[in-house]
Amino acid sequence: MQNNKDYLPNTSLLIQQHPQMFRMNTDSKLLGQFMKVKKSDTVLDLGCNNGVLMMYASLHDPKHLYGVDLFEEALELAKINLEANNITN
């Protein structure tokens, strides 16, 4: 099954989304844009799915980003999205 690519709203970051998994929506955008993250923070995203919130958090350059999900396919997609956007923290 082919993944769709979209831009994270108000960023230059590209994200792949699987058509049969939870997809980025208005809630994702609002949470991402209103989060307050400091450079010394560690971010933990429970139920990270495709990594959209970690990608938004990366814009603040936190010390570490961690994503947890029950589904291996979701974790793989989050990893692909972070690597494709050169997000390494």
Side-chain angles (χ1 to χ4, degrees):
M1 186 126 336
Q2 184 177 9
N3 293 336
N4 299 321
K5 287 187 179 180
D6 297 298
Y7 280 100
L8 258 60
N10 301 326
T11 76
S12 61
L13 300 173
L14 273 174
I15 185 166
Q16 287 188 43
Q17 301 190 88
H18 191 287
Q20 294 182 338
M21 294 174 65
F22 181 78
R23 297 173 55 85
M24 175 182 57
N25 58 26
T26 304
D27 289 347
S28 309
K29 176 187 173 196
L30 291 173
L31 282 168
Q33 291 180 332
F34 287 107
M35 69 174 66
K36 303 288 188 227
V37 179
K38 298 175 190 163
K39 287 188 180 248
S40 61
D41 285 349
T42 296
V43 175
L44 173 62
D45 185 3
L46 299 174
C48 67
N49 192 38
N50 55 21
V52 67
L53 292 179
M54 288 189 295
M55 292 172 67
Y56 272 117
S58 76
L59 298 173
H60 302 282
D61 199 27
K63 187 174 183 178
H64 299 288
L65 291 168
Y66 295 101
V68 177
D69 204 288
L70 293 174
F71 302 101
E72 187 66 34
E73 188 174 14
L75 290 170
E76 254 326 290
L77 191 52
K79 181 179 177 183
I80 288 168
N81 283 324
L82 293 173
E83 287 176 354
N85 288 285
N86 298 313
I87 300 169
T88 60
N89 48 339

